[in-house]
Amino acid sequence: MLDVAKAANVSVATVSAVINGSAPVSPELRSRIEEAIQVIGYKRNAIARSLKLGTTRTVGLMVADITNPFFTDVVAVIQDVLHRAGYAVMLCCNDEDVEMQDEQIELLIDRSVDGLIIAPAGDDETLKRIIAGANLPTVLIDRLLDGIDTDAVVLDNRRAVHDATLYMLGLGHRRIGYISGSLETSTGRERLAGYKAALEAAKLPYEDDLVRIGNFREKDAYKATMQLLTSTERPSAIFSANNLMVIGVMKTIRDIGLKCPEDVSVASFDDFPWADVFQPHLTTIAQPVQAIGEQAAQLILDRLSGKSPAAPRRLVLQGRLMIRESCRPVSLTPRAIA
Amino acid sequence: MLDVAKAANVSVATVSAVINGSAPVSPELRSRIEEAIQVIGYKRNAIARSLKLGTTRTVGLMVADITNPFFTDVVAVIQDVLHRAGYAVMLCCNDEDVEMQDEQIELLIDRSVDGLIIAPAGDDETLKRIIAGANLPTVLIDRLLDGIDTDAVVLDNRRAVHDATLYMLGLGHRRIGYISGSLETSTGRERLAGYKAALEAAKLPYEDDLVRIGNFREKDAYKATMQLLTSTERPSAIFSANNLMVIGVMKTIRDIGLKCPEDVSVASFDDFPWADVFQPHLTTIAQPVQAIGEQAAQLILDRLSGKSPAAPRRLVLQGRLMIRESCRPVSLTPRAIA
DNA sequence: TTGTACGCGTTATCAC
DNA sequence: GTGATAACGCGTACAA
């Protein structure tokens, strides 16, 4: 900038005024400066600017698992919206690992991001302390944190699973296996609560034997399903609490020599783009990923520009049950082999 | 830092020495300073540090489409490796949009990233000028840029498609439709070249009618396949040049009332985690995503630490043909309807 | 309207 | 072994 000032025979203050339009500058000087900028190929240094202004125009985005298509879609939308608003996004994913998560959030804060968008891996005390301590605009997505009261956009998980379970119940299923996500997450807890609520509404008992923890991962779900399907009284249907796990569920069914939906009905949280192309066409709960991403980005943008109300805003969106062909009436399902 | 210095009754220089271990400090002063740091809750400002040191310990990662599971996996690995090395990653995805891409790369450079990892959307002159002008450590992944001679890790696309085509040829298929990616990308061109080479090896003519451009997107591939499948002499097999497009291919087949592999065989570039769980089990070319991500991260890390050789390193990995059930011998395929 | 000078928080260089 | 001080590049009072 000094070079530009010299070349144009003006002071740095004037150059700065031209670049930022922060003060009126006479046309002749303006054009002389603009030319000098071209010639020198000057580019303003964002680091120095950040140091002075105390803002980086960067937001940290941390999700538990970017390999999960749900998060991928949300991240893509967020990045897009934020980019259009002139913000860069720093991405971290921790593979659902709570310790890694703490490290990463520190890294983000250390880099002086202006705000944080987080889909936390677990309800971790350290994480919560760090977030509270950072005192940054924060929006939680997908998963809430107990005791952290910030902007957030989440799904009505309870209701979505409640409805899906009711649907399976309506098909006559009485023993519905449930592969749960980690109960350390709000989604894990809320989805399970929806399952329980539906059972209760149908005046059916809740059986511990029918629910297994799959931690939102394919591998764990595989094992969990294996236990369910090889138990003495095999369930006639299985609900998977997310997309990754349903693949594990299907693998188990295949490995055990069963067929879906002939032998066991399956439904799952999270939709797939290919769900109605490959067999069996999976019945799923579709999340409004586009809306989730857009809302989250907008929430942080509003906070950043100071035009949010003081009170945190909590957006709750609804899922949509996509009924396809992976669930069939229990009357068409052969009785479980003891 | 000034506060810490005051509290501990030392100079800022000494505090800095303690924090960075850049100079020997007497034990008593050291402990006094460390205590002050604790009490004040001091954290070193990375922005100021960057300004002084000229390094941000951040690398920019730009991929054409993070929604594509292939890129997602690679991004996840890169982020992981880089994080462990103390680097943050700034992510940009441009939805295969060349103009957006230019904007984003500018944004990244503007933020003073230390290095760049790029899977370019297209072979764009502006992009190349920007990259060359930035003079930053750069590694290209997946897709090469004509005339840009940097570190890179790519697949042997030509050979992979060549082998896959040969496989289909070996099944007796003579009219193999080819849904191509954008020819603006090196992967688009190389994969098509592999197809042509296989045809030539089999002494079969290359027919323009059989190849359609799908631009790596599901929608375009849908239309392209529709043209192929409704033409007077329908191909008995189709190869899709990536994962997103094969979904479009399958949708067309379904919508037209055909069956895979009964009526038309299908194979595709890029593997899916669920490929052997849902029907038809897709025959694909699996890319070593883990290795690609690790190598790319390592290349940039080496460059950043200055221990790379001056000459750019170009890593070429091999794909693996996963033969499953979506291709069958042409003798079992009913003759195309005129 | 324009220029000067200072401060943002670090680190490196040099005296002591 | 420790302290003073000059950069890093920018924005902005304040003075002219």
Side-chain angles (χ1 to χ4, degrees):
Chain A
M1 186 150 129
L2 191 69
D3 299 336
V4 175
K6 271 183 193 154
N9 239 313
V10 295
S11 80
V12 289
T14 316
V15 177
S16 177
V18 168
I19 293 173
N20 301 310
S22 48
V25 175
S26 69
E28 47 172 346
L29 275 200
R30 169 182 300 280
S31 63
R32 214 161 77 209
I33 290 171
E34 278 168 350
E35 195 191 317
I37 289 179
Q38 288 296 329
V39 174
I40 311 252
Y42 165 79
K43 290 192 147 179
R44 124 182 123 186
N45 182 319
I47 304 291
R49 188 185 164 82
S50 291
L51 182 59
K52 181 68 185 161
L53 263 24
T55 167
T56 52
R57 293 194 77 78
T58 299
V59 347
L61 175 52
M62 187 176 72
V63 298
D65 182 6
I66 211 213
T67 268
N68 181 324
F70 164 70
F71 286 125
T72 308
D73 288 352
V74 174
V75 167
V77 176
I78 290 177
Q79 194 276 325
D80 185 53
V81 176
L82 255 28
H83 172 76
R84 285 170 204 277
Y87 279 84
V89 3
M90 253 185 208
L91 177 77
C92 287
C93 23
N94 46 54
D95 221 38
E96 304 273 4
D97 177 336
V98 180
E99 292 181 29
M100 181 73 82
Q101 170 169 267
D102 293 344
E103 264 183 47
Q104 296 191 331
I105 203 87
E106 294 262 32
L107 178 98
L108 254 20
I109 293 171
D110 180 70
R111 291 291 192 292
S112 304
V113 294
D114 291 343
L116 247 19
I117 301 183
I118 310 177
D123 205 329
D124 175 34
E125 281 309 321
T126 316
L127 174 71
K128 293 198 277 196
R129 204 170 39 241
I130 297 174
I131 292 179
N135 199 26
L136 279 174
T138 301
V139 4
L140 257 20
I141 51 175
D142 189 50
R143 283 119 93 131
L144 259 21
L145 247 25
D146 247 22
I148 295 283
D149 202 28
T150 64
D151 287 342
V153 24
V154 294
L155 204 82
D156 188 344
N157 286 290
R158 195 189 166 98
R159 172 157 168 196
V161 176
H162 173 267
D163 292 354
T165 308
L166 238 38
Y167 162 71
M168 295 173 105
L169 253 13
L171 255 22
H173 293 282
R174 284 300 167 267
R175 292 182 60 74
I176 304 176
Y178 183 91
I179 309 293
S180 172
S182 163
L183 297 178
E184 295 288 308
T185 65
S186 65
T187 42
R189 293 189 298 270
E190 285 296 304
R191 290 176 191 178
L192 182 56
Y195 168 79
K196 285 185 185 175
L199 249 31
E200 196 168 331
K203 306 211 188 305
L204 248 32
Y206 169 80
E207 290 181 46
D208 260 338
D209 292 356
L210 285 174
V211 354
R212 288 289 125 97
I213 308 297
N215 284 324
F216 291 132
R217 318 297 312 239
E218 181 190 321
K219 266 220 176 98
D220 294 324
Y222 181 88
K223 285 186 220 148
T225 310
M226 190 60 86
Q227 291 174 11
L228 238 37
L229 255 23
T230 53
S231 65
T232 47
E233 212 178 343
R234 188 218 291 164
S236 62
I238 292 182
F239 182 85
S240 157
N242 88 337
N243 48 7
L244 263 24
M245 293 197 297
V246 79
I247 296 182
V249 171
M250 298 304 285
K251 280 195 179 163
T252 308
I253 292 177
R254 174 202 62 190
D255 286 354
I256 253 176
L258 260 23
K259 289 234 171 273
C260 166
E262 291 82 346
D263 302 312
V264 42
S265 289
V266 172
S268 165
F269 218 99
D270 297 319
D271 201 22
F272 299 90
W274 44 265
D276 52 2
V277 193
F278 288 82
Q279 309 275 357
H281 294 176
L282 228 46
T283 289
T284 64
I285 294 167
Q287 295 201 54
V289 282
Q290 180 84 18
I292 294 175
E294 279 170 4
Q295 312 263 34
Q298 203 50 58
L299 280 180
I300 199 82
L301 249 21
D302 286 353
R303 250 326 138 200
L304 255 18
S305 62
K307 58 177 169 234
S308 301
R313 296 194 279 176
R314 187 141 298 180
L315 272 31
V316 180
L317 308 183
Q318 295 298 332
R320 212 169 98 208
L321 183 62
M322 310 294 286
I323 297 181
R324 289 190 273 247
E325 298 148 20
S326 60
C327 294
R328 62 165 54 178
V330 72
S331 57
L332 299 178
T333 309
R335 216 190 123 38
I337 311 132
Chain B
M1 186 151 126
L2 192 68
D3 299 335
V4 175
K6 274 182 190 154
N9 239 313
V10 293
S11 79
V12 288
T14 315
V15 177
S16 178
V18 167
I19 292 171
N20 301 308
S22 48
V25 175
S26 70
E28 45 171 349
L29 275 200
R30 169 181 303 278
S31 63
R32 216 161 74 209
I33 290 171
E34 279 168 350
E35 197 192 317
I37 288 178
Q38 288 295 330
V39 174
I40 311 254
Y42 164 80
K43 290 192 145 180
R44 147 176 103 185
N45 181 320
I47 304 291
R49 187 185 163 83
S50 290
L51 180 60
K52 182 67 185 158
L53 261 25
T55 168
T56 52
R57 292 195 77 78
T58 299
V59 347
L61 175 52
M62 188 176 72
V63 297
D65 182 7
I66 212 214
T67 268
N68 181 324
F70 164 69
F71 286 125
T72 307
D73 287 352
V74 174
V75 166
V77 176
I78 290 178
Q79 195 276 324
D80 185 54
V81 177
L82 255 29
H83 172 77
R84 284 169 205 277
Y87 279 85
V89 2
M90 254 184 206
L91 177 76
C92 288
C93 23
N94 46 55
D95 221 37
E96 304 273 3
D97 177 336
V98 181
E99 292 181 29
M100 182 72 81
Q101 170 168 266
D102 293 344
E103 263 182 48
Q104 296 190 331
I105 203 86
E106 294 262 32
L107 178 98
L108 254 20
I109 293 171
D110 180 69
R111 290 291 192 293
S112 304
V113 294
D114 290 344
L116 246 20
I117 301 182
I118 310 177
D123 205 329
D124 176 35
E125 280 309 320
T126 316
L127 174 71
K128 292 198 276 196
R129 204 170 40 240
I130 297 174
I131 293 179
N135 200 25
L136 279 174
T138 301
V139 3
L140 257 21
I141 51 175
D142 189 49
R143 282 119 92 131
L144 259 20
L145 247 25
D146 246 23
I148 295 283
D149 203 27
T150 63
D151 286 343
V153 25
V154 294
L155 204 82
D156 189 344
N157 286 291
R158 196 188 166 99
R159 171 155 170 199
V161 177
H162 174 267
D163 292 354
T165 309
L166 237 38
Y167 162 71
M168 295 173 106
L169 252 14
L171 255 23
H173 294 282
R174 285 299 165 266
R175 292 184 59 74
I176 303 175
Y178 183 91
I179 309 293
S180 172
S182 162
L183 296 179
E184 295 288 309
T185 65
S186 65
T187 41
R189 293 189 298 271
E190 284 297 304
R191 290 175 192 179
L192 183 55
Y195 167 78
K196 285 186 186 176
L199 250 32
E200 196 168 331
K203 305 210 187 306
L204 245 34
Y206 169 80
E207 290 181 47
D208 260 338
D209 292 356
L210 284 174
V211 354
R212 288 287 124 95
I213 308 297
N215 284 324
F216 292 132
R217 319 296 313 238
E218 180 190 321
K219 266 223 175 94
D220 294 325
Y222 181 87
K223 285 187 220 148
T225 310
M226 190 58 86
Q227 292 173 11
L228 238 37
L229 254 24
T230 54
S231 64
T232 47
E233 212 178 343
R234 189 217 292 163
S236 62
I238 292 182
F239 182 84
S240 157
N242 88 337
N243 49 7
L244 263 23
M245 293 197 297
V246 79
I247 296 182
V249 171
M250 298 304 284
K251 280 195 178 162
T252 307
I253 292 177
R254 175 202 63 190
D255 287 354
I256 251 176
L258 260 24
K259 288 234 171 273
C260 166
E262 292 82 346
D263 303 311
V264 43
S265 290
V266 172
S268 165
F269 219 98
D270 296 318
D271 201 22
F272 299 90
W274 44 266
D276 52 4
V277 194
F278 288 81
Q279 309 275 357
H281 295 176
L282 228 45
T283 290
T284 63
I285 295 168
Q287 296 201 54
V289 282
Q290 180 84 18
I292 293 175
E294 279 169 5
Q295 312 263 33
Q298 204 49 58
L299 280 179
I300 199 83
L301 249 21
D302 285 354
R303 254 319 142 203
L304 256 17
S305 62
K307 57 176 170 232
S308 301
R313 295 194 280 175
R314 186 142 298 181
L315 272 30
V316 179
L317 308 184
Q318 294 299 332
R320 212 169 98 209
L321 184 62
M322 310 294 285
I323 297 181
R324 288 190 272 247
E325 298 148 20
S326 59
C327 295
R328 62 166 54 177
V330 72
S331 57
L332 299 179
T333 309
R335 217 190 122 37
I337 313 132

